[in-house]
């Protein structure tokens, strides 16, 4: 077999050394009645050329974003992936290493993860970040569990969730909490699309934590300073969620507004959409809470000669040491995706990232204006970053399907998540779109409207 | 084999990203330039966002050129050891060869650049791939239905335990305990606790196996189920698995199988035929997808019919050649992640399964078992083997017989000087000073012989010159790192 280097002679020699006649003797412990006794029905082995051809055909049966106009966002953003990122990720030294338990032969991964943690701290304005979670939804669920550890006396206080939290994030939090007996209370929105602070104030007594997202699911920027001021006399844990990480280059980071935990998705940083995974989850907190954090942490140390080096640390929080008392069950994380984000951010630089963020924002604003001129009003008036909701005045699902037929992914019809918004479309704009592309969308929507 | 000498490869002294240009003054013109249709983006502040909501200064990330970034990470990569570089016998981790076909197909635009919210009719090829992968995993494991949503093995465990919980709840049967043998991976008790269960540890017998009588003693109507790994972490097949499962089922419990060690069983025996009700697959172990220095993996879950209603939503359905998402599953536990799982990892596993077919997968398991037993037999005269019988895909040695001044950790670090990645150490917990060796099927007899020779030399060094072990490693970019210091005063980010 191609992937198996043992020759027939090797196999004979090894069997002889072991003292058995054939390999079957080695699974004598498997009772005969439990053995399969037939071949797996998975077809014959195929050559690399054949599998490659088959899978190319299967890939081409999908409509890829590089050959379409994509205004879909809603938690997964079609940004440019610099070729440098996959080129470096494909290095076998990074790609084919395991979790860096043996630090002396893993300094490449460990130093890069230390850089990742530093970058997330800088972007979120927090004090400490872990070495990645699976995705933004799971990071958010873990943030809520962490809040429970930060307030051990609050055993059954509700979790307050902004109505504008990404619905998949909300669903994941629900799954993680279902058996806990904790209630999830929804904080509704103001007419402008941002979380209603009066309703928030009314729910504060006894609550465990607040989970709010900015820019929120509808594209509106939440007023972090105002939210934090509204909850400042409460004991609740303030969890800020970010699904479009690029916004952190332009907007005031929640960590500068006294958030306790910031979690979210780093997919925008050099990671392809790939039908939703693998993406990147991140989680950041305050130094005082580091021992309550889930996931791996890389720390700086030194060898006997005083040379700087990096190791996995504070692992007494983790499952392989603490077992059922661990802060989380997470083991394998999304290390290579964290490396992708690290390389991406290093290539963009601080100023480059800010410029890209401004460009995304300006393009989105321009599209908003063009749509308004064509008679499509924004559904919400709160300011946005690179995503916004428009009112179509017609069933958004139908409109989106008709435009999809013309090669335009016009955005996400919101009726599936919010029935009262069934005539609304959530539109995202990134640097992958040109002025002409914006005009095409406006023209196509106008045509459908008639 | 030559003992390790002084010469080493090139070792770069590479600073942190943030230290590359210590004297560089911030220059707004540096950094990646945006191919800008929006020329005005260079200067003005956005007019529609109140200034109180804007960041006051750009993020402090150095502004570097592409060649500088490329060189920085290329140099860092040279400090890493991957399975591409050499033998990586890390027990329980199945560090097998990662075929490059997998990487090439996963990078195809039709797989990498598709949006999770695209209409199903635009991603038929992807949905078909997922549907076929789920069916292949069902065939390999003997399960009835598979969800691909969990992102890693531990995530699959949590998902499985939540389904067990939902199953009991639907029957109005509140149960609060989960039994876990003392040989289990740490993720098992952690996942059970996360699913809200109290963990009860069950001892294995002196033979390293779980016995039905012991399990029966622990079983009652308060126990939701048993979580076990087969083959277990000693590399031994749980010979009494069918009887153990019967003891659990008899009291209304369910059996969770941790599929981390499935590389031992493909085409030989199937968890679904042994009484296991739910299992997770680690695509990054058994199905050759790379581990990436810590992930991403993928941890699909397979279930028997009675648990199918509880699978996470959505599941991928097929009707007359058309694939779709099915969200309408009222008994589902809900979502465990944002979308449908780590699709990019599924593409790689799908390529591997097609490439090998049923026979090739069985051959992989056979040769993994052969390689492990060869190491077991060749090393057992030099290292203590607590369970001397034939193993499956891995074998576990203890530190018994090592000179008292030498530890398993010293031995592991010394292996680096011989050019090998160390095995898993100090796990499973039931073996003192454990050294857990899993060679996988990807290694040649020559490589195994070299490893054996190194191990034998190290066992000699341990007695004759223990300092060589205690001061190891010598040939790595840094010497042995002080983990105690790292944890005592944690430095978890760079600061100027």
């Amino acid at each position: 077999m191609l992937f198996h280097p043992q020759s027939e002679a090797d196999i004979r020699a090894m069997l002889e050394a072991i003292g058995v006649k054939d390999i079957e003797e080695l699974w004598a412990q498997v009772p005969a009645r439990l053995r399969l006794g037939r071949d797996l029905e998975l077809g014959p082995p195929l050559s690399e050329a054949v599998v490659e051809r088959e899978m190319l055909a299967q890939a081409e049966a999908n409509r890829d974003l590089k050959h379409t106009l994509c205004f879909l966002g809603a938690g997964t953003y079609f940004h440019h992936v610099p070729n440098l990122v996959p080129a470096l990720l494909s290095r076998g030294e990074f790609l084919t290493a395991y979790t860096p338990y043996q630090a002396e032969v893993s300094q490449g991964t460990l130093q890069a993860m230390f850089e990742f943690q530093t970058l997330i701290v800088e972007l979120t304005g927090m004090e400490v970040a872990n070495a990645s979670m699976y995705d933004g939804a799971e990071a958010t669920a873990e943030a809520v569990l962490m809040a429970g550890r930060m307030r051990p006396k609050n055993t059954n206080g509700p979790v307050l969730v902004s109505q504008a939290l990404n619905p998949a994030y909300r669903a994941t939090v629900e799954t993680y909490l279902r058996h806990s007996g904790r209630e999830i209370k929804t904080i509704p929105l103001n007419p402008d699309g941002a979380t209603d602070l009066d309703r928030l104030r009314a729910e504060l007594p006894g609550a465990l934590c607040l989970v709010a997202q900015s820019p929120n699911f509808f594209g509106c920027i939440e007023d972090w300073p105002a939210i934090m001021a509204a909850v400042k006399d409460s004991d609740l844990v303030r969890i800020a969620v970010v699904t479009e990480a690029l916004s952190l280059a332009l907007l005031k980071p929640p960590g500068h507004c006294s958030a306790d935990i910031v979690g979210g998705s780093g997919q925008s940083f050099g990671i392809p959409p790939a039908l939703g995974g693998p993406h990147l989850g991140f989680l950041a907190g305050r130094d005082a809470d580091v021992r309550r954090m889930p996931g791996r942490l890389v720390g700086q140390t030194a060898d006997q000669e005083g040379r700087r080096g990096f190791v996995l640390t504070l692992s007494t929080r983790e499952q392989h040491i603490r077992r059922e008392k661990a802060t989380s069950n997470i083991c394998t994380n999304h290390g290579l995706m964290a490396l992708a984000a690290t390389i991406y951010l290093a290539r963009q630089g601080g100023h480059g990232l800010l410029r890209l963020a401004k460009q995304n924002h300006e393009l989105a604003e321009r599209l908003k204006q063009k749509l308004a001129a064509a008679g499509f009003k924004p559904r919400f008036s709160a300011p946005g970053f690179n995503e916004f909701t428009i009112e179509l005045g017609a069933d958004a699902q139908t409109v989106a399907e008709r435009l999809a037929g013309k090669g335009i992914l016009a955005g996400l019809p919101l009726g599936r998540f919010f029935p009262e918004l069934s005539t609304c479309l959530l539109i995202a704009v990134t640097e992958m779109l040109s002025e002409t592309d914006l005009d095409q969308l406006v023209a196509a929507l106008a045509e459908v409207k008639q | 084999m030559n003992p390790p000498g002084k010469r080493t490869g090139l070792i770069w002294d590479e600073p942190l990203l943030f230290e590359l240009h210590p004297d560089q003054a911030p220059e707004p013109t540096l950094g990646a330039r945006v191919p800008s249709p929006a020329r005005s983006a260079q200067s003005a502040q956005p007019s529609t966002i109140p200034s109180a909501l804007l960041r006051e200064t750009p993020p402090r990330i150095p502004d570097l050129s592409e060649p500088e970034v490329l060189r920085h990470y290329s140099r860092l990569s040279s400090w890493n050891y991957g399975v591409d570089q050499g033998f990586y016998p890390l027990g329980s981790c199945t560090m097998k060869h990662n075929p490059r076909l997998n990487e090439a197909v996963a990078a195809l635009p039709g797989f990498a650049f598709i949006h999770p919210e695209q209409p199903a009719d635009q991603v038929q090829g992807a949905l078909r791939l997922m549907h076929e992968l789920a069916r292949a995993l069902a065939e390999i494991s003997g399960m009835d239905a598979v969800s691909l949503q969990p992102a890693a093995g531990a995530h699959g465990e949590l998902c499985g335990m939540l389904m067990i919980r939902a199953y009991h709840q639907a029957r109005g049967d509140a149960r609060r305990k989960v039994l876990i043998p003392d040989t289990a991976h740490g993720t098992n008790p952690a996942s059970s606790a996360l699913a809200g269960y109290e963990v009860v540890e069950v001892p294995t017998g002196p033979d390293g196996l779980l016995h039905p009588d012991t399990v029966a003693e622990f079983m009652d109507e308060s126990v939701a189920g048993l979580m076990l790994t087969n083959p277990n972490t000693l590399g031994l097949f749980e010979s009494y698995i069918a009887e153990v499962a019967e003891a659990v089922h008899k009291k209304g419990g369910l059996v969770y199988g941790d599929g981390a060690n499935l590389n031992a069983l493909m085409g030989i025996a199937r968890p679904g035929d042994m009484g296991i009700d739910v299992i997770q697959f680690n695509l990054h172990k058994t199905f050759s997808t790379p581990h990436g220095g810590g992930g991403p993996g993928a941890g699909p879950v397979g279930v028997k019919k009675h648990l199918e209603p509880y699978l996470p939503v959505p599941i991928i359905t097929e009707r007359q050649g058309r694939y779709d998402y099915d969200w309408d599953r009222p008994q589902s536990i809900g979502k465990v992640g944002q979308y449908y799982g780590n699709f990019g990892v599924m593409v790689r596993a799908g390529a591997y399964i097609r490439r090998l077919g049923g026979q090739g997968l069985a051959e992989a398991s056979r040769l993994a078992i052969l390689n492990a037993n060869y190491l077991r037999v060749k090393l057992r005269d030099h290292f203590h083997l607590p369970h001397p019988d034939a193993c499956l895909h891995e074998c576990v040695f203890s530190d018994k017989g090592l000179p008292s001044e030498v530890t398993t950790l010293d031995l592991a670090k010394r292996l680096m000087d011989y050019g090998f990645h160390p095995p898993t150490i100090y796990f499973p917990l039931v073996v003192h000073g454990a050294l857990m060796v899993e060679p996988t099927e990807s290694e040649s007899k020559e490589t195994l012989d070299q490893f054996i020779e190194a191990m034998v030399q190290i066992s000699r060094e341990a007695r004759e010159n223990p300092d060589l072990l205690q001061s190891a490693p010598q040939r790595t970019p840094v010497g042995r790192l002080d983990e105690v210091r790292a944890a005592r005063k944690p430095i978890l980010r760079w600061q100027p």
Side-chain angles (χ1 to χ4, degrees):
Chain A
M1 292 302 301
L2 189 72
F3 301 147
H4 313 147
Q6 303 85 344
S7 69
E8 288 299 321
D10 289 339
I11 293 173
R12 279 195 303 276
M14 291 164 81
L15 288 171
E16 195 177 322
I18 298 166
V20 293
K21 282 204 189 61
D22 53 37
I23 298 182
E24 284 72 16
E25 274 188 55
L26 296 172
W27 53 86
Q29 321 159 33
V30 182
R33 68 195 169 91
L34 297 185
R35 295 188 197 176
L36 181 58
R38 64 166 172 86
D39 285 342
L40 290 170
E41 288 171 12
L42 294 171
L46 299 172
S47 72
E48 177 162 345
V50 169
V51 176
E52 193 174 4
R53 196 169 60 218
E54 277 185 13
M55 295 196 75
L56 182 62
Q58 222 165 337
E60 284 175 350
N62 304 319
R63 180 157 198 137
D64 75 80
L65 302 180
K66 293 187 172 183
H67 294 94
T68 188
L69 285 189
C70 177
F71 295 87
L72 266 178
T76 297
Y77 299 93
F78 179 42
H79 289 292
H80 184 246
V81 177
N83 288 292
L84 179 69
V85 176
L88 281 167
L89 292 193
S90 71
R91 291 187 73 96
E93 296 87 342
F94 284 134
L95 183 72
T96 73
Y98 199 74
T99 299
Y101 292 127
Q102 295 290 346
E104 297 83 1
V105 287
S106 311
Q107 284 300 297
T109 293
L110 286 163
Q111 180 166 326
M113 289 307 98
F114 187 80
E115 293 177 356
F116 172 75
Q117 291 173 185
T118 306
L119 289 164
I120 294 297
V121 162
E122 174 62 21
L123 285 167
T124 57
M126 299 299 285
E127 293 165 357
V128 56
N130 75 11
S132 79
M133 308 299 288
Y134 308 139
D135 62 23
E138 184 256 357
T140 303
E142 288 274 16
V144 171
L145 298 179
M146 179 175 159
R149 293 189 292 275
M150 288 164 61
R151 301 284 185 274
K153 286 180 187 155
N154 186 333
T155 50
N156 58 4
V159 173
L160 310 182
V161 173
S162 160
Q163 194 183 3
L165 176 69
N166 183 305
Y169 285 42
R170 158 105 188 207
T172 305
V173 172
E174 284 171 2
T175 305
Y176 273 67
L177 285 187
R178 189 158 296 125
H179 61 269
S180 72
R182 260 192 219 282
E183 189 187 349
I184 297 180
K185 282 190 180 168
T186 304
I187 308 297
L189 305 183
N190 285 321
D192 73 349
T195 304
D196 183 335
L197 300 186
D198 290 332
R199 300 290 290 272
L200 171 61
R201 279 187 206 97
E203 297 291 356
L204 286 178
L208 172 69
C209 61
L210 166 70
V211 185
Q213 170 185 327
S214 182
N216 70 25
F217 183 64
F218 304 107
C220 303
I221 299 170
E222 295 280 359
D223 188 338
W224 285 132
I227 290 178
M228 298 308 171
V231 302
K232 76 175 190 318
D233 296 327
S234 154
D235 189 39
L236 100 176
V237 177
R238 293 151 286 195
I239 301 173
V241 172
V242 182
T243 63
E244 170 47 297
L246 180 62
S247 68
L248 290 168
L250 179 65
L251 303 181
K252 179 167 280 193
H256 293 176
C257 314
S258 69
D260 296 302
I261 307 175
V262 182
S265 170
Q267 180 267 329
S268 290
F269 297 152
I271 298 169
L275 201 72
H279 288 180
L280 167 66
F282 67 83
L283 190 79
R286 298 288 171 190
D287 281 335
D289 300 316
V290 66
R291 283 168 206 277
R292 299 181 185 89
M293 283 182 82
R296 294 183 183 135
L297 289 164
V298 175
Q300 181 180 315
T301 186
D303 67 8
Q304 297 103 321
E305 290 161 42
R307 228 179 266 117
R308 179 171 69 183
F310 302 92
V311 294
L312 291 176
T313 193
L314 299 179
S315 48
T316 49
R317 300 164 300 115
E318 291 184 73
Q319 48 75 28
H320 63 282
I321 311 281
R322 285 298 291 280
R323 300 174 81 83
E324 67 270 21
K325 295 192 181 68
T327 56
S328 167
N329 69 334
I330 190 168
C331 180
T332 288
N333 59 16
H334 277 199
L336 199 70
M337 302 293 103
L339 178 64
T342 306
I343 294 165
Y344 178 90
L345 291 169
R347 184 183 176 280
Q348 294 302 121
H351 291 96
L353 199 69
L354 175 61
R355 271 202 301 276
L356 184 64
K358 280 185 183 173
Q359 187 196 353
N360 271 250
H361 171 68
E362 285 193 14
L363 276 173
E365 289 301 308
R366 198 162 315 169
L367 178 59
K368 220 189 265 185
Q369 288 160 11
K370 286 173 191 280
L371 284 167
F376 298 100
K377 294 281 181 293
R379 177 70 174 73
F380 302 110
S381 60
F385 172 58
N386 68 348
E387 198 165 18
F388 57 90
T389 305
I390 56 163
E391 173 60 57
L392 290 177
D395 182 60
Q397 183 70 38
T398 314
V399 173
E401 279 168 19
R402 287 185 59 184
L403 265 65
K406 301 174 184 220
I408 301 175
L409 291 165
L412 185 71
L414 290 176
R416 199 176 95 213
F417 309 97
F418 301 93
E420 68 277 20
L421 298 178
S422 65
T423 55
C424 293
L425 201 59
L426 179 63
I427 293 178
V429 184
T430 73
E431 75 282 3
M432 301 301 274
L433 295 163
S434 67
E435 192 87 28
T436 327
D437 297 333
L438 307 187
D439 291 335
Q440 268 199 56
L441 174 70
V442 176
L445 281 173
E447 197 186 315
V448 171
K449 196 185 178 189
Q450 279 161 9
Chain B
M1 160 173 284
N2 293 323
K6 280 194 182 142
R7 283 182 182 278
T8 64
L10 289 171
I11 294 177
W12 316 108
D13 187 15
E14 184 66 12
L16 282 159
L17 170 65
F18 314 98
E19 300 163 341
L20 281 172
H21 288 305
D23 303 324
Q24 188 188 56
E27 273 184 63
T29 55
L30 285 173
R33 280 179 184 77
V34 177
S36 177
R39 246 168 267 115
S40 57
Q42 307 297 328
S43 53
Q45 287 292 348
S47 55
T48 55
I49 307 175
S51 60
L53 302 184
L54 291 173
R55 197 177 176 109
E56 281 145 27
T57 52
R60 286 171 301 173
I61 305 171
D63 293 303
L64 302 171
S65 63
E66 178 163 311
E68 290 169 298
V69 178
L70 180 65
R71 189 167 290 164
H72 176 64
Y73 292 102
S74 295
R75 285 183 169 202
L76 288 191
S77 78
S78 75
W79 292 348
N80 253 21
Y81 189 110
V83 74
D84 279 9
Q85 276 63 49
F87 186 40
Y88 214 123
L90 200 59
S92 249
C93 301
T94 315
M95 293 298 282
K96 63 168 72 177
H97 168 62
N98 306 137
R100 288 316 193 263
L101 166 68
N102 299 358
E103 300 308 309
V105 292
L108 291 169
F111 288 140
F113 289 93
I114 47 179
H115 196 285
E117 299 288 1
Q118 262 175 281
D121 61 8
Q122 290 195 0
V123 291
Q124 285 293 297
L127 297 186
R128 185 179 141 201
L129 185 146
M130 291 169 76
H131 194 259
E132 287 172 352
L133 176 62
R135 280 178 47 184
L137 294 175
E139 164 66 6
I140 291 164
S141 62
M143 291 295 175
D144 295 319
V146 171
S147 162
L148 302 167
Q149 194 171 121
H155 205 209
E157 291 174 18
L158 172 65
C159 182
M161 295 316 286
L162 290 173
M163 285 193 277
I164 287 179
R165 204 175 172 96
Y167 165 90
H168 287 304
Q169 254 163 9
R171 298 153 61 96
D173 188 2
R175 296 183 175 223
R176 54 190 173 80
K177 291 190 274 191
V178 168
L179 307 184
I180 297 185
D182 53 13
T183 48
H185 295 119
T187 48
N188 293 180
S191 299
S192 296
L194 196 50
Y197 284 117
E198 180 189 325
V199 172
V200 179
E201 191 172 281
V202 182
T204 45
D207 53 1
L209 301 179
L210 199 54
H211 290 263
D213 295 348
T214 319
V215 172
E217 276 171 41
F218 283 85
M219 269 314 294
D220 61 32
E221 274 74 19
S222 71
V223 177
L226 165 76
M227 204 171 188
L228 87 175
T229 311
N230 196 16
N232 65 25
T233 58
L234 296 164
L236 305 175
F237 188 85
E238 294 282 1
S239 307
Y240 310 108
I241 175 73
E243 294 78 8
V244 164
E246 204 185 314
V248 175
H249 289 151
K250 215 165 127 185
K251 298 281 183 186
L254 296 178
V255 181
Y256 183 97
D258 176 343
N261 294 345
L262 190 62
N263 205 44
L265 292 184
M266 290 186 292
I268 295 171
R270 307 193 306 172
D273 301 336
M274 303 169 191
I276 287 171
D277 300 286
V278 49
I279 186 173
Q280 105 280 352
F281 306 84
N282 294 40
L283 299 188
H284 47 295
K285 294 179 179 177
T286 319
F287 298 98
S288 84
T289 77
H291 201 280
V301 277
V303 294
K304 289 296 206 180
K305 267 264 172 286
H306 49 279
L307 286 173
E308 198 176 342
Y310 309 105
L311 286 171
V313 281
I315 63 165
I316 314 296
T317 57
E318 186 261 339
R319 273 184 207 93
Q320 289 153 354
R322 191 185 179 275
Y323 299 88
D324 207 349
Y325 303 104
D326 180 7
W327 291 90
D328 186 18
R329 301 177 62 81
Q331 289 186 283
S332 164
I333 59 164
K335 290 188 70 60
V336 293
Q338 193 171 355
Y339 296 109
Y340 325 113
N342 283 341
F343 176 71
V345 179
M346 298 171 206
V347 174
R348 291 170 171 89
Y352 178 72
I353 292 172
R354 283 189 216 189
R355 188 85 169 81
L356 291 190
Q359 291 163 18
L361 292 177
E363 189 71 359
S365 286
R366 294 160 61 88
L367 292 171
I369 293 170
L370 178 71
N371 276 358
N373 278 283
Y374 184 65
L375 288 182
R376 175 181 62 86
V377 166
K378 288 287 203 171
L379 289 173
R380 68 181 167 194
D381 294 338
H382 306 274
F383 296 90
H384 175 246
L385 194 61
H387 300 282
D389 297 340
C391 60
L392 290 184
H393 66 302
E394 65 192 0
C395 58
V396 181
F397 299 92
S398 85
D399 61 2
K400 191 173 167 186
L402 276 183
S404 58
E405 66 269 37
V406 168
T407 64
T408 301
L409 183 72
D410 297 331
L411 199 157
K413 300 298 184 196
R414 183 62 176 156
L415 266 171
M416 296 174 184
D417 286 334
Y418 283 85
F420 295 104
H421 194 283
T424 294
I425 52 174
Y426 301 109
F427 185 81
L429 308 174
V430 290
V431 172
H432 198 270
L435 196 71
M436 184 193 211
V437 187
E438 180 182 10
T440 83
E441 69 278 14
S442 306
E443 302 300 333
S444 66
K445 178 172 176 296
E446 287 76 12
T447 300
L448 300 183
D449 284 335
Q450 286 163 11
F451 177 73
I452 291 160
E453 209 182 317
M455 288 286 283
V456 171
Q457 284 199 33
I458 292 171
S459 101
R460 197 176 307 132
E461 289 170 357
R463 285 187 299 277
E464 293 168 4
N465 196 353
D467 180 57
L468 281 175
L469 278 70
Q470 290 155 349
S471 61
Q474 299 287 344
R475 304 180 78 205
T476 47
V478 289
R480 201 180 297 190
L481 290 164
D482 188 345
E483 299 195 4
V484 175
R485 169 171 158 174
R488 196 179 298 140
K489 274 194 167 176
I491 302 174
L492 305 172
R493 67 180 189 278
W494 178 83
Q495 282 179 292

